[in-house]
Amino acid sequence: MTPPADAVIDDVVARLEREARSGLTGVLNATGILLHTNLGRAPLALEAIAAIEHAAGGASNLEYDLDEGTRGSRYDRLGALLRAATGADDALVVNNCAAAVLLVLDTFARAPDGTPREVVIARNELIEIGGGFRLPEVLARSGATLVEVGTANKVRLDDYARALSPRTALLMRAHRSNFRIDGFTGEVAPGALVALGRRAGVPLLEDLGSGALTDLTEYGLPAERTVGEAIADGIDLVAFSGDKLLGGPQAGILVGRAAAIARMRANPLLRALRVGSATIAALGATLRLHLDPATRAAIPLYAMLGAPLDVLRARAEALRARLPALTLSVVEHEGFAGGGTLPLAAIPSLALAWRPAHGDPNAAAERLRLGETPVVARVDGDVVLLDLRTIPPGRDGELAAALEAAR
Ligand SMILES: *Cc1c(COP(=O)(O)O)cnc(C)c1O
């Protein structure tokens, strides 16, 4: 029996639409999670997008020294900006922070001749970031031997000191990123660990992850150790991400002592972790925006963090007025930085709460996801919540159209 022509057409259209969506496509992030790893983390500034177009839309001086007319190094393109932004002696940019940590471990702690090379880290910092990044496993993969010190809640300087041996290759600190320990806890001040490393002649790596360049208390957030503070403490090597609190493209950044960076530059593994011109262009433009506090708000992450509640409320009320056929209310909502940064610091925000006429909010959220402009929202009880802090203000019209179409 031949199926009716309409059914065949509907089936073909549905399949074509599914296929179109399986490629990379833009969405509206209505979750209130600013750095949503599943939604691509930090959106780029217009300046960063323009820089990509300018440098990567054609040929560039990626590895060409224009003064000398000879071969240059891509790793020199961001050095001055990263030194200015962090106060470090030198810098190196790789594919992401996981790659940065891997490169440090491979350079300093791999044991090619079978002699164990040990990395000393506190038990209360043995993190799992998600997406398969678990520090003990990354360490094992790099060929280094993990030496855990302290307990699950407390570590003392003496614990580190007793773990040092002729086999020690590296001391390591790691940002807890996505959890917090409270109660009977103890940490070692970074400066004390720096001094211990110096006395023993062992470099200290700090995996900062989020990589704040600026004081986040200005945005009403808890204080977050900045890259500059870590460098000022004397940490030899600091690793952080480009697309977390820096608000730029996916990248892993290593800053620190010139001699330590030079050793990593000479590691053949660097070739496999290198970044291309689009990343270098976007990161450079984002760093330039950071250098002047007046231009930092041009970085979308900082525009989102700085949006006042009354501005969000006005946008929410305007959307509600524009969509009289939908049952919408304006509700207080808690946003989060996301991306393994500031896990417990809620960011006061506002959301539209949509109560779909035909019941099922999960079905309504699905219609939003599958619309022409996909919208990713959160379902809470019988409403769909759409947080406005993570929607660029210029795209409220598209959000309204998406809601209308999903009605
Ligand atoms: C997020 C994070 C990483 C991984 O960063 P990517 O840039 O996603 O590779 C590594 N370490 C810490 C402490 C992190 O928070």
Side-chain angles (χ1 to χ4, degrees):
M1 195 188 78
T2 327
D6 284 359
V8 174
I9 291 169
D10 286 352
D11 186 48
V12 168
V13 169
R15 275 199 218 180
L16 288 173
E17 284 177 349
R18 246 197 328 273
E19 212 162 278
R21 275 196 306 271
S22 68
L24 188 63
T25 190
V27 308
L28 289 178
N29 171 11
T31 62
I33 297 169
L34 280 65
L35 299 168
H36 199 306
T37 298
N38 302 149
L39 302 182
R41 289 200 189 148
L44 293 180
L46 290 177
E47 288 80 350
I49 295 164
I52 293 175
E53 193 177 3
H54 182 71
S60 69
N61 65 340
L62 180 65
E63 290 194 344
Y64 189 74
D65 186 326
L66 289 170
D67 289 336
E68 304 293 326
T70 54
R71 192 174 193 283
S73 166
R74 70 183 65 214
Y75 303 107
D76 293 339
R77 300 288 160 255
L78 293 166
L81 279 167
L82 282 166
R83 286 193 293 273
T86 65
D89 296 342
D90 204 359
L92 194 55
V93 177
V94 291
N95 195 41
N96 54 21
C97 186
V101 171
L102 189 65
L103 181 63
V104 177
L105 294 174
D106 188 83
T107 306
F108 290 89
R110 198 165 57 96
D113 57 359
T115 346
R117 305 273 290 145
E118 295 173 351
V119 177
V120 180
I121 181 167
R123 271 201 179 86
N124 60 14
E125 292 178 357
L126 285 173
I127 48 171
E128 168 170 337
I129 299 300
F133 185 90
R134 308 177 99 191
L135 261 190
E137 288 169 17
V138 174
L139 270 155
R141 169 51 66 101
S142 75
T145 304
L146 170 65
V147 177
E148 300 173 34
V149 296
T151 62
N153 54 326
K154 274 203 174 213
V155 64
R156 302 189 186 89
L157 187 61
D158 184 47
D159 294 323
Y160 287 98
R162 274 185 289 121
L164 290 174
S165 82
R167 296 175 303 277
T168 312
L170 206 61
L171 288 167
M172 182 167 179
R173 299 185 88 222
H175 190 290
R176 282 197 195 101
S177 298
N178 49 14
F179 74 105
R180 193 167 74 186
I181 54 171
D182 262 333
F184 189 58
T185 61
E187 316 272 335
V188 175
L193 212 50
V194 167
L196 180 70
R198 293 273 156 79
R199 281 199 299 278
V202 174
L204 172 56
L205 163 68
E206 179 159 348
D207 177 9
L208 259 188
S210 48
L213 293 180
T214 188
D215 177 9
L216 293 178
T217 60
E218 285 172 35
Y219 295 87
L221 290 166
E224 172 75 13
R225 179 170 169 79
T226 64
V227 179
E229 282 165 2
I231 292 296
D233 280 336
I235 308 283
D236 299 285
L237 282 169
V238 181
F240 58 103
S241 291
D243 55 356
K244 291 184 179 174
L245 293 173
L246 196 151
Q250 177 188 307
I253 300 159
L254 284 161
V255 294
R257 292 185 177 282
I261 298 282
R263 278 189 63 183
M264 287 185 292
R265 249 184 242 262
N267 185 336
L269 181 64
L270 179 60
R271 174 65 180 79
L273 309 177
R274 78 181 185 187
V275 286
S277 54
T279 301
I280 293 173
L283 191 55
T286 310
L287 287 167
R288 252 176 240 117
L289 293 172
H290 267 288
L291 290 181
D292 180 355
T295 55
R296 192 176 300 121
I299 301 169
L301 174 66
Y302 289 87
M304 291 192 277
L305 279 172
L309 278 179
D310 50 356
V311 170
L312 298 182
R313 188 178 299 280
R315 287 173 53 200
E317 292 295 353
L319 279 161
R320 198 161 73 100
R322 197 164 160 173
L323 296 162
L326 275 78
T327 310
L328 294 170
S329 48
V330 178
V331 298
E332 288 179 359
H333 190 237
E334 284 189 339
F336 287 92
T341 63
L342 309 161
L344 304 177
I347 301 168
S349 192
L350 278 180
L352 279 173
W354 172 33
R355 193 178 304 273
H358 312 294
D360 192 359
N362 288 302
E366 184 184 3
R367 289 196 298 280
L368 280 171
R369 287 201 307 277
L370 300 184
E372 196 179 312
T373 302
V375 178
V376 182
R378 202 164 82 72
V379 170
D380 184 26
D382 54 2
V383 296
V384 180
L385 289 171
L386 300 125
D387 193 305
L388 290 183
R389 190 178 290 283
T390 44
I391 306 263
R395 301 190 67 184
D396 283 356
E398 277 173 83
L399 178 62
L403 281 163
E404 186 64 46
R407 180 147 74 88

